[in-house]
């Protein structure tokens, strides 16, 4: 681990002032400290923002939900309002990491976490995320766990977050505060596909701080849930996952929100699946037909071609579960 300075910010103003000078924000530290220990990252300055007043969950008047950036994952998962309104989020949180990590990690840190690609974490391997222009060892290496959607010649790493998949499905908004004031971003714009700049993973400007993630109000009744498929049931990242939310009224699907994880360089929204569902009556046949569109645009690699079929089956099964036919 490289030497660094440490500052604890007690106010938002203090945090922004230190961030403007190039420091890195840290709260739970469950990702950044590991990367520093492995010398993947070596920031010169850390700013502890855990004392800031960003740890509240608020149900909005319209029926949406605002989750402060410093809410612990375990607290969010247990929140009665969140569990009642958006079980897809609480389920995604409960299927993440271990209980010990969920007790430390924050919502803001979770969506900022970096890939678990082993080549990224091996400082002896070429990786464009660590050093732009170095190359991508995963493209021609062992890539069973890598992405089939949203990839580029520069990077094929998956985004590891489960709750980010739920946020993507629900079309959440990320709120930020920085030297130039407040701004908000659709979740789909917050996390960036690699393209030619895989080292830039989020649309966060220098010195900016995530303050909250806000889920919009959606039509009721709303059924939702999260399914995660992995090699083992404990402490493992997704091979595929599906976040589904359906508004069914009068026996017809009026609104559908679907996203997948474990297969994309970012949490992958599935608009073709959604379009196939809206206006239709729930049925096993409908779920299967809609799920056929889940891997549209996929570019499998040598070892992860199985993810194409697995993604279809994961989405189909979760549609059946949420839609009430399983």
């Amino acid at each position: 681990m490289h030497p660094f300075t440490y500052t604890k910010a007690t106010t938002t103003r203090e945090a922004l002032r230190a961030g403007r000078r190039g420091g890195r924000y840290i709260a739970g530290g469950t990702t950044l400290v590991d990367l520093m220990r492995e010398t993947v990252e070596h920031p010169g300055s850390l700013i502890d923002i855990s004392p800031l007043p960003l740890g509240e969950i608020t149900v909005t008047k319209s029926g949406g939900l605002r989750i402060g950036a410093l809410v612990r994952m375990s607290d969010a998962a247990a929140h009665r309002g969140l569990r009642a309104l958006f079980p897809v989020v609480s389920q995604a949180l409960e299927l993440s990491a271990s209980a010990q990590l969920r007790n430390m990690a924050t919502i803001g840190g979770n969506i900022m976490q970096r890939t678990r690609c082993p080549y990224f974490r091996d400082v002896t391997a070429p990786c464009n995320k660590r050093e732009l222009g170095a190359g991508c060892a995963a493209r021609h290496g062992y890539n069973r766990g890598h992405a089939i959607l949203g990839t580029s010649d520069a990077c094929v790493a998956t985004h590891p977050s489960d709750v980010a998949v739920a946020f993507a499905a629900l079309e959440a908004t990320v709120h930020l505060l920085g030297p130039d004031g407040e701004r908000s971003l659709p979740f789909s714009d917050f996390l960036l596909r690699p393209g030619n700049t895989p080292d830039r993973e989020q649309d966060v400007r220098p010195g900016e701080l995530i303050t909250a993630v806000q889920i919009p109000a959606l039509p009721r009744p709303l059924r939702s849930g999260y399914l995660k498929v992995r090699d083992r049931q404990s402490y493992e990242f997704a091979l595929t996952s599906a976040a589904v939310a359906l508004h069914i009224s009068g026996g017809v699907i009026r609104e559908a929100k679907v996203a997948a994880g474990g297969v994309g360089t970012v949490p992958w929204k599935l608009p073709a699946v959604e379009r196939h569902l809206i206006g239709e009556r729930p049925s096993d046949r409908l779920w299967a037909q809609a799920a056929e569109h889940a891997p549209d645009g996929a570019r499998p690699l040598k070892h992860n071609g199985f993810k194409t079929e697995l993604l279809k089956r994961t989405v189909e099964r979760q549609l059946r579960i949420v839609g009430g036919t399983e």
Side-chain angles (χ1 to χ4, degrees):
M1 185 179 288
H2 293 252
F4 61 91
T5 61
Y6 171 86
T7 304
K8 179 169 284 193
T10 57
T11 67
T12 303
R13 180 177 295 181
E14 285 180 12
L16 293 178
R17 188 184 305 121
R20 196 180 297 118
R21 294 194 295 266
R24 289 285 300 278
Y25 298 126
I26 188 169
T30 56
T31 293
L32 182 55
V33 171
D34 280 349
L35 294 175
M36 291 172 64
R37 188 180 297 121
E38 295 166 2
T39 68
V40 175
E41 292 204 38
H42 34 83
S45 173
L46 293 184
I47 308 155
D48 186 349
I49 58 171
S50 57
L52 301 188
L54 301 173
E56 298 294 325
I57 298 177
T58 307
V59 178
T60 65
K61 291 181 180 179
S62 62
L65 202 76
R66 184 182 175 98
I67 308 172
L70 294 180
V71 174
R72 304 290 177 183
M73 291 172 63
S74 56
D75 292 336
H79 189 271
R80 289 195 298 175
L82 187 149
R83 295 180 74 88
L85 290 170
F86 302 108
V88 61
V89 176
S90 58
Q91 290 173 19
L93 288 165
E94 288 169 345
L95 290 170
S96 301
S98 65
Q100 293 91 337
L101 287 173
R102 293 195 299 271
N103 285 336
M104 284 295 296
T106 64
I107 293 296
N110 183 283
I111 62 175
M112 284 287 290
Q113 68 179 296
R114 306 197 70 184
T115 182
R116 261 53 183 187
C117 172
Y119 296 106
F120 166 69
R121 289 172 175 257
D122 178 0
V123 294
T124 66
C127 174
N128 286 316
K129 282 188 179 294
R130 278 189 283 103
E131 182 184 352
L132 191 60
C136 174
R139 284 186 57 79
H140 302 292
Y142 185 62
N143 43 45
R144 178 177 179 269
H146 288 73
I148 60 174
L149 291 161
T151 61
S152 71
D153 290 342
C155 184
V156 295
T158 56
H159 193 275
S161 171
D162 290 295
V163 75
V165 182
F167 289 152
L170 296 173
E171 298 170 4
T173 299
V174 180
H175 296 280
L176 304 108
L177 178 64
D180 298 324
E182 298 180 16
R183 69 183 181 113
S184 300
L185 281 173
F187 200 82
S188 57
D189 294 338
F190 173 72
L191 295 175
L192 305 175
R193 301 183 193 182
N196 294 321
T197 55
D199 56 321
R200 188 164 182 257
E201 298 173 351
Q202 305 91 13
D203 184 3
V204 178
R205 297 170 184 169
E208 271 192 328
L209 183 69
I210 299 172
T211 56
V213 176
Q214 187 158 341
I215 304 170
L218 292 171
R220 298 288 163 177
L222 187 74
R223 308 175 186 176
S224 72
Y226 185 72
L227 176 64
K228 182 175 183 178
V229 178
R230 46 190 170 173
D231 284 324
R232 61 186 184 194
Q233 287 301 304
S234 176
Y235 195 46
E236 184 63 276
F237 296 96
L239 290 172
T240 63
S241 68
V244 172
L246 301 175
H247 169 51
I248 303 173
S249 177
V252 174
I253 301 168
R254 308 293 180 181
E255 192 152 355
K257 307 292 184 185
V258 186
V263 291
T265 52
V266 294
W268 203 256
K269 194 84 156 94
L270 299 175
V273 174
E274 295 170 344
R275 288 193 298 268
H276 198 89
L277 295 170
I278 294 173
E280 302 294 334
R281 293 184 175 275
S283 70
D284 287 342
R285 181 181 180 184
L286 177 66
W287 309 141
Q289 290 174 341
E292 284 292 318
H293 296 283
D296 286 359
R299 297 172 57 193
L301 300 164
K302 181 177 181 180
H303 303 108
N304 68 0
F306 71 95
K307 284 192 174 187
T308 302
E309 183 63 28
L310 185 60
L311 174 58
K312 293 180 193 177
R313 296 187 183 194
T314 303
V315 170
E316 179 184 351
R317 182 180 177 192
Q318 189 60 0
L319 287 171
R320 290 202 314 267
I321 293 170
V322 174
T325 59
E326 177 169 303

